[in-house]
């Protein structure tokens, strides 16, 4: 049973890195690709994250650090633009498992949920509103846009997830491994500085 979970995680990890899939979608597709029953127990996200790190180490060690840096630098640009909304970087770009196919996810904690959208409109930024799953499993509004990344020579998806200011307290609880699940502007700047050392 454990080896089956490992096989699903490894297959999902390849899809995450090579196709930019989210963990949930990659796990479901891995089950299908391996010809397993749809009700097969899925590995947890930590197992997939470990498999992603192994895959990156084996197949992308020469390119991934530069790609991650470019994505974090682009995330910082958007965090600075949206600084008044207490931006926090999350997901693969924050955790360090991102490649050029990964989207940037920034959580905004707003007094008024419409204020971030108004800010984009005022600056003529094209975006698409959608509803996504939040960090507690609840539906959350997201403003999705494409942003040019000169370092990678392509357009990267940036998703601004809108939360109430009160949600910020619960957002800073460490994950199962004791790590911060998201980081503010200063934390992202520190990651970039640390990578230079």
């Amino acid at each position: 049973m454990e080896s089956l979970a490992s096989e699903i995680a490894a297959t999902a990890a390849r899809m995450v890195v090579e196709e930019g899939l989210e963990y949930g979608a990659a796990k479901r597709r891995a089950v299908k690709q391996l010809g397993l029953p749809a009700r097969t127990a899925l590995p947890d996200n930590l197992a997939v994250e470990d498999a992603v790190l192994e895959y990156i180490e084996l197949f992308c060690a020469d390119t991934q650090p530069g790609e991650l840096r470019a994505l974090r630098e682009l995330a910082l640009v958007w965090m600075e633009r949206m600084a008044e909304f207490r931006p926090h970087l999350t997901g693969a770009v924050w955790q360090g498992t991102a490649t050029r196919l990964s989207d940037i996810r920034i959580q905004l904690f707003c007094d008024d949920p419409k204020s971030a959208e108004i800010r984009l409109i005022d600056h003529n930024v094209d975006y698409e509103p959608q509803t996504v799953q939040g960090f507690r499993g609840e539906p959350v509004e997201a403003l999705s846009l494409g942003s040019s990344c000169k370092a990678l020579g392509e357009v990267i998806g940036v998703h601004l997830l809108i939360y109430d200011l009160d949600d910020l307290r619960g957002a800073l609880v460490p994950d199962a491994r004791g790590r911060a699940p998201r980081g503010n502007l200063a934390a992202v700047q520190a990651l970039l500085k640390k990578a230079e050392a």
Side-chain angles (χ1 to χ4, degrees), residues 92-182:
V93 179
W94 168 250
Q95 294 296 349
T97 58
T99 66
R100 70 186 316 117
L101 297 176
S102 302
D103 286 353
I104 295 169
R105 298 187 182 290
I106 300 171
Q107 296 170 337
L108 304 177
F109 296 90
C110 310
D111 295 314
D112 171 15
K114 286 290 173 201
S115 55
E117 193 168 356
I118 291 166
R119 176 74 184 270
L120 293 180
I121 292 168
D122 287 348
H123 287 83
N124 298 317
V125 175
D126 288 331
Y127 66 91
E128 188 177 310
Q130 54 184 318
T131 302
V132 298
Q133 186 174 330
F135 60 82
R136 288 191 200 99
E138 76 286 19
V140 170
E141 184 181 353
L143 309 173
S144 297
L145 54 101
S147 186
S148 179
C149 181
K150 286 183 183 159
L152 298 177
E154 55 193 77
V155 174
I156 301 298
V158 177
H159 306 282
L160 305 172
L161 286 70
I162 311 297
Y163 289 90
D164 287 327
L165 182 56
D166 293 345
D167 292 326
L168 186 54
R169 280 192 300 272
L172 301 176
V173 175
D175 69 10
R177 293 188 171 159
R179 303 172 301 185
R182 55 197 48 81

Side-chain angles (χ1 to χ4, degrees), residues 19-126:
E19 300 174 39
L21 288 184
E22 294 295 316
Y23 286 9
K27 287 189 280 190
R28 289 187 296 277
R29 230 172 89 196
V31 165
K32 195 179 266 187
Q33 186 175 317
L34 294 168
L36 299 169
R39 291 182 157 302
T40 302
L42 298 174
D44 65 18
N45 285 347
L46 292 176
V48 176
E49 183 182 343
D50 289 343
V52 165
L53 289 168
E54 284 177 32
Y55 190 93
I56 287 170
E57 200 173 298
L58 282 172
F59 300 106
C60 311
D62 54 338
T63 57
Q64 192 266 349
E67 292 173 2
L68 176 62
R69 177 171 189 74
L71 291 170
R72 284 178 170 168
E73 287 171 349
L74 182 59
L76 198 59
V77 168
W78 280 99
M79 292 175 80
E80 288 168 349
R81 286 180 186 165
M82 305 302 278
E84 68 192 89
F85 307 111
R86 299 161 199 86
H88 283 69
L89 181 63
T90 191
V93 179
W94 168 250
Q95 294 296 349
T97 58
T99 66
R100 70 186 316 117
L101 297 176
S102 302
D103 286 353
I104 295 169
R105 298 187 182 290
I106 300 171
Q107 296 170 337
L108 304 177
F109 296 90
C110 310
D111 295 314
D112 171 15
K114 286 290 173 201
S115 55
E117 193 168 356
I118 291 166
R119 176 74 184 270
L120 293 180
I121 292 168
D122 287 348
H123 287 83
N124 298 317
V125 175
D126 288 331

